[in-house]
Amino acid sequence: MVDHVGEHEKTGNIDGTAIRVRRPAAGRKDRDRFLSGKNKQNAVKPMVLTDAAGRLLYCSPAEPGNCADITHARKSVLVRLLSDSAAVDILADAGYQVRVPRPADAW
């Protein structure tokens, strides 16, 4: 998958999407993990990577709805594969940006 993007277009698109699901059973201990705070619904979130033409190259296993996009990407092997590959541009939304805290003396 990474080789395909690297050899052909050198550009890929990555994003996570919420898929609405039924609420897990009442006795389940991790029931609240499926509640997406952003969408206010029970969901699972797969992460997909496409090439520049929109062809699907990768679809991750679904994570519970409260999992952030950046966390999902870090848990998968995708981040390691992309960081070890040749120069490949991956287009992503703000959910994949890493926020670096400002030093205390920057104020």
Side-chain angles (χ1 to χ4, degrees), residues 59-83:
C59 182
S60 73
E63 289 285 330
N66 70 348
C67 184
D69 287 346
I70 189 71
T71 304
H72 194 162
R74 286 178 179 150
K75 287 168 91 174
S76 74
V77 297
L78 191 60
V79 171
R80 186 173 42 83
L81 287 173
L82 292 172
S83 65

Side-chain angles (χ1 to χ4, degrees), residues 18-45:
I19 299 172
R20 193 172 184 179
V21 295
R22 291 178 55 156
R23 188 169 187 186
R28 190 169 175 168
K29 65 178 179 168
D30 58 351
R31 184 177 187 187
D32 292 337
R33 291 187 59 212
F34 290 88
L35 184 63
S36 171
K38 179 179 177 183
N39 298 327
K40 306 288 189 252
Q41 65 184 12
N42 291 289
V44 293
K45 291 173 65 176

Side-chain angles (χ1 to χ4, degrees), residues 3-16:
D3 291 337
H4 171 78
V5 174
E7 289 176 12
H8 295 95
E9 291 87 18
K10 296 201 181 299
T11 301
N13 304 307
I14 190 170
D15 202 6

Side-chain angles (χ1 to χ4, degrees), residues 99-107:
R99 292 188 180 23
V100 178
R102 298 169 107 187
D105 59 348
W107 296 99

